[in-house]
Amino acid sequence: MPHNVAVLALDGVLPLDLGIPARVFNEACTPDGTRLYSVRTFSIGGRPVRTHEDFQIVVDHDESLLRTADTVVIATLEPSADLLETGTLPGDVAAVLALIPPRTRIVSLCTSAFLLAAAGLLDGRRATTHWALCDTFARLFPDVEVDPNVLFIDNGRILTSAGGAAGIDMCLHLVRLDHGATVAAAAARRCVAAPWREGGQAQFIEHLVPQDTDRSTSATRQWALERLAEPITLEDMARHAHMSVRTFTRRFRKEAGISPLKWLAQCRLAHARLLLESTTLPVARIATACGFGDPVALRKQFHTYVGLSPAAYRRAHNAPEPTTAR
């Protein structure tokens, strides 16, 4: 059975962001092309919705979808002046959020985190939203630990994301959690999106496209990706880019939104996930192939960032049994 995703559209919804869940989840398929998610959009009472732009949209479903939803996504909307001033929800919105079953996963895109916070669903949790409204968010909801410096935050049942493309990153993150790195990477390719950006990456990147391509760090990133098994240092990367360590680190952060060594660690972990899912290599061989050096370091990274051991991750994704290490 496919995983049921219900996307809530409210007045003030941003049309681009409303389409993100269906665009990403509908590209997650089995090898024979069977979709792994069923995505449906609903509004309160099934009524037409006034978007943030100069048109309305008509949806085919109402809040009765919540009875069978495995995941509920609240699409980005322009927060009302009343919500930004008082931190309280309209009665009909509060009533719909109260209908979400206690075990259903809840996802907010960008400023829809204001709705979850106003409903009390984020109390005592870390959360994020668009960086431009994080100060307002923190003032309105002091019981929520707001982090303006990340793309998304996964609290288990409840996830929040920053604006725009961060919603794509979070949806791909969910596909990766549910079905593994291979399925998520294939979905990303079909969406022509980056295969993964971890949630801890910075929201604001000064130059999405390097202004001076001759002095960009992109060639060094490709060089490092081709040598993940090798013991690459920050000095090695700076030397390859023909820059000082300080200049390289500064430019890398501007282009990638993350430090060079953290980026390298994320690449190694992503490659390890892929090998665990798709090969029979033993954990020790995978640790070496991904540059962790030994299985202990690999297991530590998995426990920290994935919450499972490599062996448990392999079992969770129905990967082939590993061969005996030689």
Side-chain angles (χ1 to χ4, degrees):
M1 294 292 293
H3 183 109
N4 290 318
V5 179
V7 182
L8 174 58
L10 296 168
D11 284 336
V13 68
L14 272 65
L16 174 63
D17 295 31
L18 178 60
I20 286 174
R23 184 70 183 91
V24 175
F25 290 126
N26 283 338
E27 296 296 351
C29 303
T30 62
D32 66 1
T34 302
R35 286 181 173 175
L36 294 166
Y37 296 88
S38 172
V39 184
R40 291 179 289 179
T41 304
F42 74 100
S43 65
I44 297 176
R47 298 190 295 269
V49 174
R50 168 63 63 183
T51 74
H52 182 255
E53 310 307 332
D54 63 342
F55 58 88
Q56 295 187 59
I57 58 172
V58 177
V59 300
D60 292 336
H61 305 283
D62 60 19
E63 55 268 38
S64 63
L65 283 184
L66 293 173
R67 291 196 295 267
T68 57
D70 301 302
T71 294
V72 175
V73 180
I74 305 176
T76 307
L77 76 159
E78 183 74 9
S80 67
D82 187 58
L83 176 58
L84 290 176
E85 182 178 348
T86 67
T88 58
L89 290 175
D92 57 349
V93 176
V96 167
L97 295 182
L99 292 175
I100 300 175
R103 294 188 178 182
T104 300
R105 186 164 62 191
I106 305 174
V107 176
S108 72
L109 300 183
C110 194
T111 49
S112 59
F114 278 80
L115 304 183
L116 299 188
L121 293 170
L122 296 177
D123 287 353
R125 302 176 187 265
R126 285 180 67 232
T128 194
T129 187
H130 193 284
W131 61 269
L133 287 174
C134 279
D135 287 346
T136 302
F137 190 94
R139 174 180 57 81
L140 285 172
F141 309 112
D143 292 332
V144 183
E145 181 188 350
V146 60
D147 188 343
N149 298 313
V150 296
L151 293 178
F152 60 84
I153 293 174
D154 182 347
N155 283 304
R157 180 190 173 221
I158 299 179
L159 299 91
T160 55
S161 75
I168 299 174
D169 296 316
M170 184 166 62
C171 289
L172 287 171
H173 166 74
L174 291 174
V175 174
R176 192 160 59 247
L177 284 179
D178 295 342
H179 300 289
T182 302
V183 173
R189 284 195 300 273
R190 286 189 283 268
C191 293
V192 197
W196 57 268
R197 291 194 299 170
E198 294 294 343
Q201 189 162 324
Q203 281 195 35
F204 183 73
I205 301 173
E206 185 170 338
H207 301 303
L208 285 176
V209 178
Q211 294 182 328
D212 184 349
T213 55
D214 290 337
R215 308 181 79 179
S216 167
T217 63
S218 59
T220 297
R221 292 200 294 275
Q222 184 60 42
W223 172 84
L225 285 172
E226 294 169 357
R227 293 165 175 80
L228 291 180
E230 301 176 14
I232 301 170
T233 66
L234 179 58
E235 289 74 15
D236 293 332
M237 297 174 77
R239 190 179 305 113
H240 179 271
H242 304 292
M243 301 178 192
S244 68
V245 169
R246 183 175 181 180
T247 299
F248 176 77
T249 301
R250 183 178 69 252
R251 289 185 179 162
F252 195 103
R253 281 185 175 276
K254 285 182 178 180
E255 293 177 19
I258 194 172
S259 73
L261 291 182
K262 188 171 182 181
W263 172 85
L264 184 61
Q266 289 182 358
C267 291
R268 285 176 165 153
L269 187 63
H271 189 46
R273 281 175 160 173
L274 184 61
L275 292 178
L276 284 166
E277 293 176 27
S278 60
T279 75
T280 60
L281 290 173
V283 170
R285 291 275 300 279
I286 290 176
T288 300
C290 297
F292 288 103
D294 61 71
V296 174
L298 176 60
R299 291 188 184 100
K300 182 178 180 181
Q301 290 290 309
F302 258 76
H303 278 295
T304 300
Y305 295 104
V306 183
L308 297 170
S309 69
Y313 181 86
R314 177 171 252 160
R315 289 194 298 271
H317 292 90
N318 299 313
E321 288 297 321
T323 57
T324 303
R326 296 180 182 176

